[in-house]
Amino acid sequence: MKWLVLIHVMSSIIGVGPTFSDIFCFGSGGWVGELRKSLELFQVLNFFPKIGGTIAVLSGLLLVWLGGWKFVTFWIIASLILYVAIQVVAVGLLGPVAAKLYQGLSDQKLNNEQELPKESSLLLAKADRLYYTASAMGVLLFILMIMKP
């Protein structure tokens, strides 16, 4: 059981931790070159939440099942709902916005030192809002995991 807890905690840290670094990806300046590099970094860092988050959920479910907890306990239900909501926002909404933003910057013949076009600025603002929404839910998820009974 200790090994399972270790796997669960480490996969949570490794899986969710990089998502908090995405602020540097979307919070970059208004220059095309900076944003291109940031979005490339975002794609690389996005690997960790997908794998680590999946392992964290599976190990968490196993801990609940083996630990004798009931799936009707508030923090378990709230944690699962938050995790699903984070995935919907981060993978289902933010991922496509970031991909569209990157594609728009790649397709155009933009100079790296050029300021962002208006359409790209609007997409960046949308990505920021989605990122902060997912991050806030991630913080709540960690609080639930730490404060659980």
Side-chain angles (χ1 to χ4, degrees):
M1 191 73 137
K2 287 182 182 180
W3 284 101
L4 188 56
V5 171
L6 176 66
I7 290 169
H8 181 68
V9 171
M10 293 304 296
S11 63
S12 297
I13 292 168
I14 293 168
V16 179
T19 60
F20 293 106
S21 67
D22 287 346
I23 190 169
F24 299 109
C25 296
F26 296 113
S28 69
W31 305 107
V32 171
E34 291 176 5
L35 188 55
R36 281 181 184 149
K37 294 269 189 225
S38 295
L39 290 169
E40 289 169 6
L41 180 61
F42 170 76
Q43 293 302 326
V44 171
L45 290 175
N46 231 4
F47 169 78
F48 294 99
K50 290 176 183 174
I51 302 302
T54 301
I55 294 170
V57 167
L58 294 176
S59 60
L61 291 172
L62 197 55
L63 280 168
V64 169
W65 183 61
L66 294 174
W69 286 311
K70 306 250 189 262
F71 281 98
V72 294
T73 306
F74 169 76
W75 69 269
I76 294 171
I77 293 171
S79 297
L80 289 171
I81 290 170
L82 274 172
Y83 179 78
V84 169
I86 290 167
Q87 294 304 310
V88 167
V89 171
V91 176
L93 301 174
L94 179 57
V97 169
K100 185 176 179 182
L101 180 57
Y102 184 74
Q103 181 182 12
L105 294 175
S106 298
D107 288 347
Q108 300 173 15
K109 304 278 190 265
L110 298 173
N111 184 337
N112 282 345
E113 286 78 34
Q114 190 174 347
E115 287 191 34
L116 290 178
K118 183 171 175 91
E119 182 181 324
S120 295
S121 293
L122 293 173
L123 282 172
L124 181 59
K126 184 176 183 178
D128 277 338
R129 287 190 303 275
L130 291 168
Y131 166 73
Y132 285 117
T133 300
S135 294
M137 289 188 290
V139 168
L140 286 174
L141 181 60
F142 270 115
I143 289 171
L144 281 172
M145 292 293 99
I146 293 167
M147 303 299 289
K148 71 178 178 14

